[in-house]
Amino acid sequence: MSFASPVPNRDFLWDVFSRVDKDRSGYISADELQVALSNGTWSPFNPETVRLMIGMFDKQNRGTVNFEDFGALWKYVTDWQGCFRSFDRDNSGNIDKNELSNALTTFGYRLSPGVVDILMRKFDRQGHGTILFDDFIQCCIILYTLTASFRQFDTDQDGVITIHYEQFLSMVFSLKI
């Protein structure tokens, strides 16, 4: 299943970038990006999700993205929109527990219903038993990051690791989440 979106033309992206770059610095901050993004509910995009995405695309470690970084970030968000819509089977604008479980299974995760329940509670900001678009992105980024970190220690790929407490702390605190 492919969720890749076509790359918009450079003029279109420059127009969007210019409108988002309110202070005309040539860089977009997390605050500027948050205002520009929509999660489909007319409420602000989750600031934590915005911070994670800025961190992923900020090649200069400034806490901002330049125009080139913005193009990649735009494509990333657009691809996530297509992915989200494909799992939002009832077109409700959010992902319920069954839809989340289906998405995670499609992504290759084999998680127990108990862990899916934990993810629902963690990423359901509104407390309605559903996850909005921006929180879905955050959930997937964090799950991917934690899994990749775990796999560094799971050398025999059996889903079990044995590490010392300081290794665990080093692993967790070095993550960009």
Side-chain angles (χ1 to χ4, degrees):
M1 186 179 303
S2 174
F3 304 109
S5 62
V7 177
N9 75 40
R10 195 168 175 82
D11 292 338
F12 171 80
L13 278 177
W14 180 252
D15 182 53
V16 173
F17 182 86
S18 298
R19 282 188 274 129
V20 174
D21 182 18
K22 296 292 186 199
D23 64 1
R24 302 289 177 245
S25 65
Y27 293 90
I28 293 177
S29 68
D31 290 341
E32 288 171 324
L33 185 60
Q34 181 189 14
V35 169
L37 294 174
S38 170
N39 67 9
T41 66
W42 301 103
S43 60
F45 218 76
N46 184 332
E48 191 58 27
T49 306
V50 174
R51 185 191 65 78
L52 279 171
M53 291 190 311
I54 290 277
M56 291 170 63
F57 291 94
D58 174 16
K59 302 285 188 270
Q60 299 159 342
N61 275 342
R62 296 175 47 146
T64 58
V65 290
N66 63 21
F67 176 64
E68 297 304 320
D69 300 337
F70 178 74
L73 192 151
W74 180 271
K75 182 171 179 357
Y76 184 78
V77 171
T78 304
D79 287 347
W80 272 115
Q81 282 177 324
C83 175
F84 182 84
R85 286 184 185 124
S86 75
F87 292 112
D88 179 15
R89 299 281 187 215
D90 59 0
N91 294 316
S92 61
N94 54 53
I95 298 282
D96 65 24
K97 180 183 172 184
N98 290 333
E99 291 166 333
L100 178 64
S101 183
N102 183 32
L104 297 177
T105 299
T106 300
F107 298 156
Y109 296 104
R110 287 174 281 145
L111 303 174
S112 70
V115 171
V116 175
D117 283 340
I118 290 169
L119 293 173
M120 284 300 299
R121 284 193 303 275
K122 171 86 175 153
F123 296 100
D124 174 14
R125 261 189 309 152
Q126 296 182 318
H128 295 150
T130 58
I131 297 176
L132 299 173
F133 172 58
D134 49 345
D135 299 315
F136 177 72
I137 294 173
Q138 184 183 1
C139 174
C140 293
I141 291 171
I142 289 175
L143 188 58
Y144 174 82
T145 303
L146 290 171
T147 301
S149 185
F150 181 90
R151 284 184 176 152
Q152 289 179 339
F153 291 94
D154 187 15
T155 54
D156 59 357
Q157 297 183 340
D158 67 353
V160 176
I161 63 173
T162 302
I163 57 175
H164 299 282
Y165 180 61
E166 286 194 7
Q167 286 176 300
F168 170 75
L169 291 177
S170 295
M171 177 177 76
V172 171
F173 288 126
S174 67
L175 298 177
K176 283 187 156 187
I177 56 173

